[in-house]
Amino acid sequence: MTDTLSRIRDIALLLPGTTEDDADGQTRFLVEGEPFARMSRDGSALQLCVADEGNPPRWSDIALSGDLDWTLIEDRIARSWELVAPTELLEAGGR
């Protein structure tokens, strides 16, 4: 899990305004204090904020096993950040 978490950390912390914290043993990535990505407690999944048109944001899991598609994971992390980030950061060019 450590290598996977390190890679996720490297991706998430490149996004403007992102911080990392550990809440109750769960690693979370936040923008302006709002979580947009978090590791499941057992490290088997990355939980990201997603939104379907017309519906409020919700959490969705990406399984962290087998051959991981890091391009997809990077894109999903960025999309999750975009759902949570304040307008000022979006306008500054998050990606």
Side-chain angles (χ1 to χ4, degrees):
M1 174 177 118
T2 304
D3 291 338
T4 302
L5 176 57
S6 293
R7 194 148 180 195
I8 289 168
R9 179 180 289 123
D10 290 345
I11 294 166
L13 292 177
L14 284 175
L15 296 164
T18 297
T19 58
E20 177 181 349
D21 85 347
D22 187 57
D24 300 323
Q26 184 178 46
T27 302
R28 304 182 314 160
F29 297 94
L30 305 97
V31 59
E32 300 292 320
E34 293 296 323
F36 67 91
R38 59 190 185 197
M39 293 290 290
S40 62
R41 292 200 196 306
D42 64 2
S44 66
L46 174 63
Q47 299 169 327
L48 298 166
C49 190
V50 297
D52 301 318
E53 190 149 339
N55 294 313
R58 61 182 171 78
W59 291 100
S60 177
D61 291 0
I62 294 178
L64 298 175
S65 60
D67 288 330
L68 299 175
D69 182 344
W70 284 104
T71 301
L72 174 67
I73 291 171
E74 184 174 346
D75 183 63
R76 296 277 309 276
I77 290 171
R79 286 177 189 230
S80 182
W81 177 90
E82 290 168 351
L83 286 171
V84 176
T87 305
E88 310 83 62
L89 288 178
L90 291 172
E91 290 172 354
R95 287 201 252 188

